[in-house]
Amino acid sequence: MKKNSFYLSSNNKLSDVIKSDLSLELSELHDFINQSPLGLIRANKWGKIIMLNAFGSQIITPIAIVLKQSPTNILDIIGAIEPELKEQIVTYKENHGTICDNRVLSVNHVGTHTLYISFTIKKIAVNTFLYAFLDYTETHNSEQEVKELNEQSALDAGRLEMATGILHDIGNVVMAFGTEVSKLRNMQKWTEIKEIQKLIALIEAKKYAIDSSIGDRKAEALLSFLSAMTKSLEQKKILLNTAVDKLYNTTSHVQEILNIQRHYVAGKESGKRTEVKLENLINDSFSIQQKSLTKRNILFVKDIDNSIPTIQVDKTKLIQVFINLLRNAIEAFDEVVDDRKRIIKVMATYLEDDRIIQLIFIDNAIGFDSQIGHVLFERGNTSKVTGTGFGLNNCKEIIESHHGSITIESQGKQLGAKVIILFYLSKLKNEHL
Amino acid sequence: MGTQIICFSDTDLGSFLRASSSEALDELDFGVIGMDRQGVVCEFNRYELKLASLKRENVIGKNFFIQIAPCTNNNLIAGKYLQSAQKTDVILDYIFTYRIKPTSVRLRIIIDLNEKKQFLLVQQQ
């Protein structure tokens, strides 16, 4: 049969052709609605489902079964999820109109997870309602993740702002303190000693005159007294100068640390990727930990390959990792009781063929059981007596956010530890490569 | 088969169905869909063709859950069928959407991992 043709053969009646075409169109329409990627239900005012497409059944039938409701009555199903919406539908007075538009209902799917279904419900005739719906769970969960990330970012920004404020306040106090220490240092002329020495010279020159006027050997006694006073003052001078120098150096170091920290939090840079030289970050980490290294008599050795290219990183985050790793290595010496030579070595090499930067922190401190290396990065796990187990976990998260990897190993107790960080430059945005 | 009457809820129906020809399956008064483990149709008996207003040549070789009955493409039916890791013979009530008319059906999923052909049976309620 030739469809839609104006000329019909004598055997075909016009009505048969129209009937056939309508039947085909109806079949296509059914398929079109049935395969639509949106749940569609046509129901009467009591909720009885008159029409239902495939996607609709795919979503609504399991929900009805879980909620122990009839899968052929949409009002019962909605009533079991949100009774207010059922009431809204039942009491809707108009003959036509939208009852709700993209209203998200949550269904606790027994034994698995919560489903979020977005419903649009319209009254399309006196006794006819159209329900259009789709599974909104994935979108809802993505939106939740974005919301949580935004909240976390806001929290980080708040912390950063607070940290900046604290650093600023501490900086001001330390600056004032440093000024006083500098003044004190400049005051250490000890002119009194020079004056006494002049007096000693004078007494020596007038020794006989003094003896004859105030008594025999009195000048000698006076000289002895003044020499003892000079010696005492000289000792005090050395002690005080040493103390003031130490105070001055410590204040300078605190100021240096504050300057580094200010640099890292300046402009709320956390999260921002900037081009940095890894060596600079390592130097800054060392400066911050320098006092602790000196206090524990630990030799810090650095071996950085000059060919390492600059990389795009979040330097605020990355320095946290380096400081943390250095601190761990330093504190690992607290449990060492023998008199071994204490060394922390940081090595960085560039594996050019694979475009990988390999960074190794190695120490000869207490180490740990060789079996537990892989679990130390899990939140809450630590090998330290006073550790919380959050530091290494944070390090791992930060390194992985830079598409890198981090591993820690030890040959066993007393045998030191080695942390290996790999940065894959092919995965890091790097304009110089 | 002689005069043997086969019912939807008969025990050990899987063995019978696997041993039956397409013509024999056409004689049954419930729907029989034979598929591989991925849901690709190899049998679709006359009862189910009629119920779904489909032609055999339009269903053989197609994925049942995606191309023929997307209303079953959820954890309850497709999930149960595709993720079954053991011999399964389960009956459950469901709503099919033949020609967008909600139709209450009883489904029976018969899976034997040692066999190539698995079955989904349909009985109109």
Side-chain angles (χ1 to χ4, degrees):
Chain A
M1 188 191 311
K2 194 176 177 184
K3 284 179 231 164
N4 299 327
S5 170
F6 185 79
Y7 301 101
L8 299 168
S9 73
S10 56
N11 294 331
N12 291 324
K13 291 178 187 169
L14 181 60
S15 60
D16 287 344
V17 174
I18 292 170
K19 209 170 161 185
S20 168
D21 277 5
L22 284 175
S23 166
L24 186 67
E25 280 174 13
L26 193 62
S27 165
E28 285 172 347
L29 186 63
H30 279 154
D31 276 348
F32 176 72
I33 295 170
N34 200 38
Q35 303 275 348
S36 162
L38 174 75
L40 290 170
I41 284 176
R42 184 181 175 208
N44 66 16
K45 65 177 176 183
W46 295 284
K48 182 177 165 48
I49 298 175
I50 312 297
M51 287 183 184
L52 169 69
N53 74 342
F55 200 71
S57 178
Q58 189 188 108
I59 294 173
I60 219 75
T61 308
I63 292 174
I65 290 169
V66 167
L67 297 176
K68 296 184 170 56
Q69 299 296 323
S70 163
T72 56
N73 191 302
I74 187 65
L75 268 183
D76 287 350
I77 297 167
I78 285 180
I81 303 169
E82 199 167 304
E84 299 83 21
L85 181 56
K86 179 182 178 182
E87 187 63 22
Q88 207 179 324
I89 299 165
V90 171
T91 56
Y92 191 76
K93 296 271 187 270
E94 308 295 328
N95 287 338
H96 296 268
T98 302
I99 298 166
C100 70
D101 196 5
N102 289 317
R103 182 149 163 189
V104 179
L105 307 187
S106 64
V107 187
N108 292 320
H109 220 257
V110 178
T112 53
H113 56 279
T114 302
L115 280 179
Y116 293 89
I117 311 293
S118 172
F119 272 94
T120 294
I121 304 171
K122 287 176 184 287
K123 190 170 181 182
I124 55 175
V126 177
N127 190 24
T128 309
F129 291 78
L130 173 73
Y131 297 75
F133 50 98
L134 50 88
D135 188 344
Y136 192 68
T137 309
E138 209 171 304
T139 314
H140 177 272
N141 291 344
S142 302
E143 283 175 358
Q144 275 302 111
E145 276 173 26
V146 170
K147 194 178 160 195
E148 280 166 20
L149 276 174
N150 285 340
E151 282 172 359
Q152 188 59 45
S153 299
L155 197 65
D156 286 348
R159 282 179 182 148
L160 214 53
E161 201 166 320
M162 196 165 75
T164 312
I166 291 169
L167 282 174
H168 182 77
D169 292 346
I170 295 174
N172 285 345
V173 175
V174 171
M175 179 71 85
F177 184 71
T179 308
E180 292 305 315
V181 172
S182 291
K183 275 188 202 168
L184 192 62
R185 202 176 185 221
N186 292 332
M187 277 166 62
Q188 302 298 310
K189 306 282 186 199
W190 294 90
T191 50
E192 297 86 349
I193 296 174
K194 284 176 188 161
E195 295 305 321
I196 293 171
Q197 281 167 343
K198 277 185 194 169
L199 185 59
I200 289 171
L202 180 69
I203 292 170
E204 274 178 343
K206 306 284 181 189
K207 198 172 173 185
Y208 296 109
I210 293 167
D211 279 351
S212 61
S213 64
I214 61 168
D216 195 23
R217 300 180 67 84
K218 293 292 181 197
E220 195 61 41
L222 203 54
L223 281 172
S224 174
F225 171 74
L226 288 173
S227 293
M229 187 188 272
T230 310
K231 199 176 172 186
S232 169
L233 282 172
E234 286 285 359
Q235 281 172 348
K236 281 183 181 169
K237 176 187 167 186
I238 292 166
L239 282 173
L240 276 168
N241 278 353
T242 309
V244 170
D245 281 349
K246 273 189 179 174
L247 205 56
Y248 180 80
N249 290 338
T250 305
T251 312
S252 300
H253 185 227
V254 171
Q255 281 176 330
E256 189 189 346
I257 290 172
L258 285 170
N259 284 338
I260 292 169
Q261 298 283 19
R262 276 175 176 162
H263 171 67
Y264 282 99
V265 299
K268 304 177 182 63
E269 282 182 290
S270 184
K272 198 158 74 177
R273 299 280 165 112
T274 47
E275 197 86 19
V276 295
K277 270 187 88 170
L278 272 184
E279 186 171 5
N280 291 345
L281 291 183
I282 292 163
N283 288 343
D284 287 346
S285 324
F286 165 70
S287 295
I288 290 169
Q289 295 293 342
Q290 193 179 7
K291 277 280 166 187
S292 299
L293 288 159
T294 311
K295 190 178 156 192
R296 289 169 175 86
N297 197 24
I298 301 166
L299 178 66
F300 180 76
V301 182
K302 197 179 67 174
D303 183 6
I304 311 289
D305 182 352
N306 283 332
S307 68
I308 294 177
T310 55
I311 53 173
Q312 291 266 355
V313 294
D314 178 346
K315 62 181 182 182
T316 310
K317 293 274 185 199
L318 215 53
I319 198 165
Q320 283 175 24
V321 174
F322 296 166
I323 291 171
N324 201 295
L325 295 177
L326 266 181
R327 192 186 297 133
N328 280 349
I330 291 167
E331 288 174 359
F333 283 103
D334 291 349
E335 291 178 57
V336 172
V337 287
D338 56 34
D339 57 354
R340 70 183 73 174
K341 189 175 179 186
R342 301 169 166 213
I343 303 170
I344 292 176
K345 191 171 181 182
V346 177
M347 294 180 290
T349 45
Y350 181 44
L351 312 173
E352 204 163 351
D353 289 347
D354 301 318
R355 296 175 67 203
I356 292 172
I357 295 173
Q358 180 180 257
L359 189 59
I360 299 176
F361 288 73
I362 187 163
D363 66 69
N364 64 337
I366 193 71
F368 51 85
D369 185 340
S370 61
Q371 305 297 311
I372 66 165
H374 65 286
V375 297
L376 288 177
F377 288 107
E378 289 173 16
R379 189 163 282 268
N381 276 347
T382 180
S383 65
K384 289 193 285 186
V385 181
T386 55
T388 60
F390 296 126
L392 279 178
N393 181 269
N394 280 341
C395 290
K396 187 168 185 275
E397 282 179 7
I398 293 168
I399 295 295
E400 285 178 351
S401 74
H402 287 80
H403 307 290
S405 68
I406 180 167
T407 51
I408 184 165
E409 55 191 60
S410 172
Q411 297 300 311
K413 275 273 180 189
Q414 300 294 342
L415 296 173
K418 184 156 87 170
V419 176
I420 303 167
I421 298 172
L422 299 178
F423 291 106
Y424 302 93
L425 297 194
S426 54
K427 295 178 186 173
L428 272 174
K429 189 185 170 196
N430 196 317
E431 290 165 3
H432 294 281
L433 293 174
Chain B
M1 299 296 150
T3 55
Q4 188 185 2
I5 297 169
I6 303 298
C7 297
F8 178 85
S9 54
D10 280 356
T11 53
D12 201 25
L13 197 52
S15 304
F16 168 81
L17 296 172
R18 281 188 191 92
S20 301
S21 64
S22 297
E23 291 75 24
L25 297 180
D26 279 344
E27 299 302 317
L28 298 174
D29 63 351
F30 54 86
V32 177
I33 300 137
M35 297 175 271
D36 66 10
R37 284 294 288 124
Q38 281 69 48
V40 176
V41 174
C42 55
E43 291 280 4
F44 212 100
N45 78 342
R46 188 185 295 150
Y47 181 96
E48 188 57 23
L49 285 170
K50 197 175 166 195
L51 202 61
S53 303
L54 292 169
K55 290 181 179 170
R56 205 184 302 266
E57 60 267 30
N58 291 337
V59 293
I60 301 296
K62 289 195 174 164
N63 188 296
F64 178 77
F65 303 108
I66 298 168
Q67 294 168 286
I68 299 169
C71 62
T72 59
N73 194 13
N74 52 29
N75 277 336
L76 193 66
I77 311 294
K80 205 179 281 289
Y81 181 91
L82 298 170
Q83 287 156 25
S84 178
Q86 55 193 0
K87 197 168 179 175
T88 302
D89 190 344
V90 62
I91 292 176
L92 56 146
D93 292 332
Y94 201 70
I95 302 291
F96 268 9
T97 55
Y98 297 121
R99 298 280 148 199
I100 62 172
K101 292 279 182 219
T103 309
S104 293
V105 292
R106 179 155 288 176
L107 302 179
R108 183 171 175 184
I109 297 171
I110 301 174
I111 292 173
D112 185 342
L113 299 178
N114 296 319
E115 301 288 347
K116 281 187 178 174
K117 199 188 287 183
Q118 319 298 335
F119 292 98
L120 179 76
L121 311 183
V122 185
Q123 189 176 49
Q124 199 171 357
Q125 301 259 58

